[in-house]
Amino acid sequence: MEKFERVLRAVFYPPVALRVILMVVGFGSLIPAFFSPLADTPFAYISYILSAYAMLVAVVGAIKICGKMKEIKNRLVQENALANRYVTDHYFRVSVSLCVALVVNLGYAVLKATGAVLYASAWTGAIAAYYIALCAVRFYLMKKFINAKEKDEEKERISYRNTAVFLFFVNLALAAIVYKVVQDGETYSYPGYIIYVYAGYTFYSFCSSIYNMVKYRRFHSPLLSASKAIGMTAALVSVISLQTAMLTQFGTKGDFSRRLANALTGTAVCVAALSISIFMLVQSKRKTR
C-alpha cells in the first residue's frame, strides 16, 4: 500500500521543478497544435494528452497549496489580533469586504476613464461615469455601516430607500446611453490585454456578488442588502461593456449582427438593473409601513 501511495504521489504530485516544466511544455504545446499545420496530427493528439495531464497536476498542486494556505491562516489567526478579529467579528469582516469592493470598483472606473481618454471613446467614458456614481453610493453605504455604533433599523431603511432612488435614476441614464450606442452603431477597438482585464473584472463581479448575497443573507441588514444590489448591478453592466469590446475585437464584420447582439444584451441588462432598483423601492415602502 505504501508503495502504491508513493507511485500516486510521484505521478500526481511530482517535484516543483518537474511540475513547472510539465505545465510549460504541456500548455505550450497547444499553441502549435491549434495554430499551425500540426493540427490533426499525432503531435496534436500527444499535446492534448500532455496538457490534460499538466492540468491535472496543476489542480492537485493547487489543492495542496490551498491546504497549506489554510494552515498559515489558522496560525495567523492565533498569533495576530487583527486577523483573529477578522475571522471572529462578522461586523468587522463585512466592513472590510465593503472597503475592498469599493477599491476594486474605483480601480475599474479609473481604468474605464483612462481608456475613454486614450481611445476617444464616449461609450467608455459614460460607463466610467456610471461606475464612479456607483462608487459614490458604495462609499455612502460603507460610511453609514462603519459609523453605526449599534443597529438602527429606521436609519438603515432610509439609507436603503435613498440607494434605491439613486439606482433607479442612474439606471434610467444607463438605458439611454445603451440605446444611443446601439442606435448609432458605435464601436471601439481596444488592445487585447484591456479586454482580458474587462473579462476578469466581469468574472470577479459576478462571483463576489453571488458570494456576498449568499454569505451575508443572514444579517438581514438593509445597508448590506443595498450594497449587494449595487454589486449585482455593477456585475450586470460589466457584461454589456465586455460584450461591446469583444464583438469589436473578435466578432464578425457584420454591422447588423453586432447591433442586434448589443441591443439584446443591453436591453436585458437595463431591464434587470431597473428591476433591481424598482424591487428595492417597493421593499423600502413595505418596510416603512
Side-chain angles (χ1 to χ4, degrees):
M1 181 61 71
E2 291 182 2
K3 185 177 180 180
F4 180 69
E5 290 179 356
R6 285 198 299 269
V7 171
L8 286 179
R9 184 178 180 85
V11 171
F12 295 109
Y13 195 65
V16 175
L18 185 58
R19 267 180 282 162
V20 172
I21 294 172
L22 180 62
M23 284 186 279
V24 170
V25 174
F27 297 139
S29 64
L30 290 176
I31 297 175
F34 286 149
F35 306 105
S36 78
L38 293 174
D40 296 325
T41 64
F43 173 83
Y45 297 120
I46 293 173
S47 68
Y48 298 154
I49 296 172
L50 188 61
S51 61
Y53 176 55
M55 177 63 74
L56 183 61
V57 170
V59 170
V60 173
I63 293 173
K64 288 281 188 179
I65 291 173
C66 288
K68 292 180 180 178
M69 291 292 291
K70 187 174 181 179
E71 293 176 3
I72 294 173
K73 185 201 79 171
N74 293 335
R75 189 163 61 249
L76 283 174
V77 168
Q78 294 175 354
E79 298 174 355
N80 187 284
L82 189 62
N84 183 269
R85 184 185 177 191
Y86 180 82
V87 172
T88 58
D89 188 342
H90 297 298
Y91 188 91
F92 179 71
R93 186 162 64 248
V94 170
S95 301
V96 172
S97 69
L98 291 176
C99 293
V100 171
L102 174 62
V103 170
V104 172
N105 285 346
L106 186 59
Y108 185 71
V110 170
L111 177 65
K112 281 287 189 182
T114 304
V117 174
L118 292 178
Y119 306 108
S121 169
W123 159 247
T124 306
I127 294 297
Y130 180 87
Y131 274 99
I132 290 172
L134 290 186
C135 287
V137 76
R138 273 188 182 276
F139 179 78
Y140 164 77
L141 291 174
M142 183 186 70
K143 189 177 179 182
K144 291 285 186 182
F145 190 84
I146 293 175
N147 290 342
K149 302 301 181 183
E150 56 184 15
K151 188 175 179 63
D152 190 325
E153 288 284 349
E154 183 60 28
K155 289 183 178 180
E156 289 198 13
R157 280 196 295 265
I158 292 173
S159 298
Y160 183 85
R161 184 187 62 213
N162 293 341
T163 303
V165 172
F166 175 85
L167 278 181
F168 178 77
F169 286 108
V170 169
N171 288 331
L172 279 179
L174 174 70
I177 294 169
V178 171
Y179 174 78
K180 180 67 175 174
V181 169
V182 173
Q183 184 185 47
D184 296 345
E186 296 184 28
T187 58
Y188 303 96
S189 181
Y190 308 103
Y193 68 89
I194 292 291
I195 294 177
Y196 292 119
V197 172
Y198 290 172
Y201 176 80
T202 302
F203 179 77
Y204 161 81
S205 295
F206 269 106
C207 290
S208 63
S209 60
I210 293 172
Y211 174 81
N212 289 333
M213 287 177 68
V214 174
K215 186 172 181 62
Y216 299 124
R217 187 177 180 180
R218 67 178 184 272
F219 284 91
H220 302 292
S221 168
L223 284 177
L224 285 180
S225 297
S227 179
K228 289 184 289 186
I230 293 173
M232 182 55 70
T233 303
L236 289 170
V237 175
S238 67
V239 172
I240 180 63
S241 179
L242 174 64
Q243 178 182 283
T244 304
M246 290 189 70
L247 286 178
T248 303
Q249 190 75 14
F250 306 114
T252 61
K253 296 185 180 298
D255 183 62
F256 175 77
S257 60
R258 186 186 299 117
R259 279 193 179 189
L260 179 62
N262 287 335
L264 292 175
T265 305
T267 300
V269 166
C270 291
V271 168
L274 283 169
S275 298
I276 290 173
S277 57
I278 292 171
F279 174 79
M280 292 175 66
L281 285 170
V282 173
Q283 284 291 98
S284 64
K285 286 188 177 182
R286 286 179 179 175
K287 291 178 180 178
T288 54
R289 289 176 182 175

